[in-house]
Amino acid sequence: MAAPITSPLDDGARDITGRALQDTVVDLVDLSLVAKQAHWNLVGRQFRDVHLHLDELVDTARTHTDNAAERAAAIGVSPDGRSTTVAKTTGIPEFPEGWVSDRDTVVTIFEAVDAAVRRLRPRIEETDKTDPVTQDLFIEIARALEEARWMWQAQAAGYTQDA
């Protein structure tokens, strides 16, 4: 089937930009799943605060997943957020199975957000020449993820000082 959505970009720019968007979709889908897994299996003294903070992260990841996927579609690239694709291509660390303490959850979620940020930053540069609209989207996603990263790191630092 011929692509029903054509791209405003030339083929080379579409391919580079589409790959960057697809990788971002995968990472953000997985980040939202990791945060939900943590949300359901969290235990410990700081349960309520961490539980609510995880919901905020899920909302952030899902919002930006949708933005990245819709941008891919807008440039004629079919986004793929299927579970098999996410499992094969994610760069987000796996969350442990079973109950996880609030301390371990905070550290693990910080590592997940940190991985998402570190994987996203090069995509900002990759899309500098291929599509400034997507680059702008990546900058906005980076802003949101780096704010989340800071907050999770601040919580993790509090646990390190308590130990």
Side-chain angles (χ1 to χ4, degrees):
M1 168 183 197
I5 307 298
T6 60
S7 182
L9 307 176
D10 66 53
D11 290 350
R14 182 203 59 224
D15 292 348
I16 291 167
T17 304
R19 188 171 36 259
L21 284 161
Q22 176 59 36
D23 291 345
T24 302
V25 166
V26 164
D27 285 352
L28 291 172
V29 165
D30 200 25
L31 182 60
S32 71
L33 294 172
V34 163
K36 262 308 179 188
Q37 183 68 19
H39 176 88
W40 297 323
N41 288 284
L42 171 68
V43 294
R45 180 174 285 198
Q46 296 301 314
F47 170 85
R48 181 157 174 74
D49 288 340
V50 176
H51 189 77
L52 295 174
H53 196 187
L54 286 163
D55 273 340
E56 291 172 9
L57 180 58
V58 169
D59 289 345
T60 296
R62 287 181 177 168
T63 295
H64 290 296
T65 299
D66 198 45
N67 293 338
E70 288 180 356
R71 180 66 191 152
I75 65 164
V77 175
S78 175
D80 188 353
R82 296 173 299 159
S83 60
T84 53
T85 302
V86 172
K88 285 182 206 172
T89 60
T90 186
I92 306 302
E94 186 175 355
F95 194 79
E97 184 179 344
W99 304 113
V100 181
S101 73
D102 51 2
R103 288 175 184 248
D104 291 343
T105 295
V106 167
V107 169
T108 303
I109 293 298
F110 163 73
E111 291 167 354
V113 176
D114 184 59
V117 167
R118 290 184 188 283
R119 288 173 53 85
L120 178 63
R121 279 222 155 238
R123 296 177 198 142
I124 294 171
E125 289 183 36
E126 288 171 14
T127 55
D128 178 44
K129 299 287 186 238
T130 63
D131 184 29
V133 176
T134 297
Q135 183 188 42
D136 185 56
L137 175 62
F138 285 161
I139 291 168
E140 175 56 27
I141 295 169
R143 186 211 52 78
L145 289 179
E146 287 177 5
E147 180 179 20
R149 180 187 179 280
W150 157 60
M151 290 185 178
W152 286 100
Q153 189 174 36
Q155 279 188 291
Y159 286 132
T160 304
Q161 291 172 356
D162 291 346

